[in-house]
Amino acid sequence: MPGDRPKPVHVVAAVLRDARGRILLARRTAGRDLAGAWEFPGGKVEPGESPREALDRELHEELGVRVLDAVPLVAVPQAYPDKRILLDVYTVDAYEGTPRGRERQALAWSPLEKLHGYPMPPADRPVVSVLTRPPRYLISPEPLAPAAWLAQLDKALAAGARRVQLRARGLGAQALANLAMDARIRCHAAGADLLVNGEAGLAADLGIGLHLPARQLMALSTRPLPAGQLVAASCHDADELAQAEQLGLDFAVLGPVRATESHPGAAAMGWEQFSRLREAVSLPLYALGGLRPADVATARRHGAQGVAGIRAFWPK
C-alpha cells in the first residue's frame, strides 16, 4: 500500500570539477552496500540539517574540502530492495581545499565523456546523463510539407536543439527515407542526435537512432539496434519502463505529466506519480505532456533528465 512505503533516505551528492574540467568520483569501500561502485561524493542529510549544510559537512568529512558555491542539479528518487533514497545532487562550482580520500576511499578524476564507463549505483547513473546528454528532446510535428519542415528543423538546431525525433506517420516509405536523410545531414552538422519514430529498418540503414512507440516496445525481446545507435521508447507505466530498462535502451519518455491537446483523453499522471515511476528504474527519462522548454528545472527536481514535447518545442 502507498501509505506503507518507507520514507526515503535523503542523500546529498556533489559534482566537483578540477581545473581541467574533470569530475570527481569516489569508490564505495568494502563492507558498504554496492561496495566497489563509483559514485558522486556525498552522504546522508542528518536531522535538523539543510541539504546545503549536509553537503558542506559531508565533503569536509570525506574529502577535506569546504563548499563555497553550490547549485541544485537534479534530485533522483531511487528504490533499492531494502530502502528508498532521494539523491539530491548539486553542482559545486567553487570549493576550498584539495580533495583527498579521508576515509581511505579511492578517488578518480574522470573526463566528462568517460563517466559512462564507471560502474555506478542505480541512483547515480541518471546523473551522468544529466551531465552529458541534452536536457530537451524535440519531437517533430507531422511533416506535411517536407521543405517547410526542414526549414523549421534548421531553426530548431540553430536555437540549440541537440536531440530530435522525426515523427512522420503520414509519409510513404520513400518520402520518409528522403526526409530522414536530409534531416540526418542537418543534425550531424549541428552535433545533434536524430531518432526516427517506429522505423527500425530505416534507422539501421541510415545509422540514426530509433524511438519506439509503447506497442512496439512491449513486443520486443531484444534491443533492435546495436550499442552506439540510440534506442528510446515512449512509456506510460511501470511495465513499459521495466521493459525499456530490460532491453538496455538508452532513455525513455514518460508521461503525460499534464493534460495535452494532442492526447485529450489521456489521464495526466502529475509529478508525484512521475517520481514514483522514476524510482523503479535507473534509465534516463524525459518528462512529457503539457510541458515547455523552461520546465527543465522542475522536471529535474523529480528525477528527469529533462523535458520532451512537440507544440511548445517546435519553431513556429
Side-chain angles (χ1 to χ4, degrees):
M1 295 292 292
D4 297 330
R5 288 156 54 90
K7 184 177 179 180
V9 178
H10 195 174
V11 178
V12 290
V15 174
L16 278 79
R17 291 181 173 87
D18 66 5
R20 294 164 56 185
R22 299 177 303 173
I23 292 174
L24 184 65
L25 299 176
R27 197 169 194 181
R28 295 179 68 86
T29 53
R32 301 176 64 194
D33 293 342
L34 302 170
W38 293 87
E39 64 184 1
F40 297 96
K44 295 179 184 178
V45 178
E46 299 294 346
E49 278 187 321
S50 70
R52 177 64 176 76
E53 290 168 340
L55 188 71
D56 183 60
R57 176 185 54 76
E58 284 287 347
L59 295 190
H60 182 64
E61 291 174 357
E62 292 187 13
L63 304 173
V65 302
R66 287 293 187 189
V67 176
L68 301 178
D69 187 30
V71 178
L73 178 65
V74 64
V76 182
Q78 188 72 51
Y80 291 94
D82 58 339
K83 62 184 176 183
R84 300 168 64 216
I85 74 166
L86 177 65
L87 184 65
D88 205 351
V89 185
Y90 288 75
T91 298
V92 176
D93 294 317
Y95 57 91
E96 187 176 69
T98 300
R100 62 188 189 281
R102 298 182 74 182
E103 298 176 348
R104 298 191 176 183
Q105 74 275 34
L107 302 179
W109 289 100
S110 172
L112 197 63
E113 67 274 11
K114 294 186 177 181
L115 283 175
H116 285 280
Y118 285 84
M120 290 185 174
D124 290 75
R125 294 172 199 155
V127 182
V128 175
S129 289
V130 167
L131 291 169
T132 59
R133 299 295 183 255
R136 298 172 184 86
Y137 184 29
L138 173 63
I139 304 170
S140 79
E142 189 71 22
L144 301 176
W149 186 94
L150 287 169
Q152 289 176 302
L153 175 61
D154 287 336
K155 289 182 181 179
L157 294 172
R162 291 298 177 264
R163 181 163 278 177
V164 178
Q165 180 191 147
L166 168 53
R167 187 171 175 266
R169 298 174 178 175
L171 292 182
Q174 189 57 56
L176 175 58
N178 291 341
L179 184 63
M181 285 188 284
D182 287 339
R184 180 186 63 175
I185 292 170
R186 287 163 163 80
C187 287
H188 179 76
D193 302 324
L194 176 65
L195 297 88
V196 64
N197 185 287
E199 300 290 339
L202 180 60
D205 290 344
L206 296 184
I208 60 178
L210 172 67
H211 187 101
L212 298 166
R215 65 182 182 279
Q216 288 188 6
L217 167 70
M218 299 307 287
L220 292 173
S221 57
T222 59
R223 180 186 166 99
L225 294 177
Q229 275 185 267
L230 289 175
V231 183
S234 295
C235 296
H236 312 87
D237 57 35
D239 289 341
E240 291 169 358
L241 285 175
Q243 172 78 341
E245 187 152 74
Q246 176 66 29
L247 294 178
L249 303 195
D250 297 287
F251 65 93
V253 171
L254 177 62
V257 176
R258 298 174 183 155
T260 66
E261 294 181 28
S262 56
H263 296 85
M269 65 176 60
W271 284 116
E272 182 178 353
Q273 179 65 4
F274 181 95
S275 294
R276 288 195 175 196
L277 291 170
R278 150 88 282 171
E279 283 192 26
V281 295
S282 61
L283 196 66
L285 300 179
Y286 287 94
L288 174 74
L291 303 176
R292 296 183 174 276
D295 290 321
V296 169
T298 300
R300 286 184 171 178
R301 287 199 299 271
H302 295 85
Q305 160 90 22
V307 291
I310 304 173
R311 295 176 184 275
F313 292 69
W314 192 251
K316 305 301 182 187

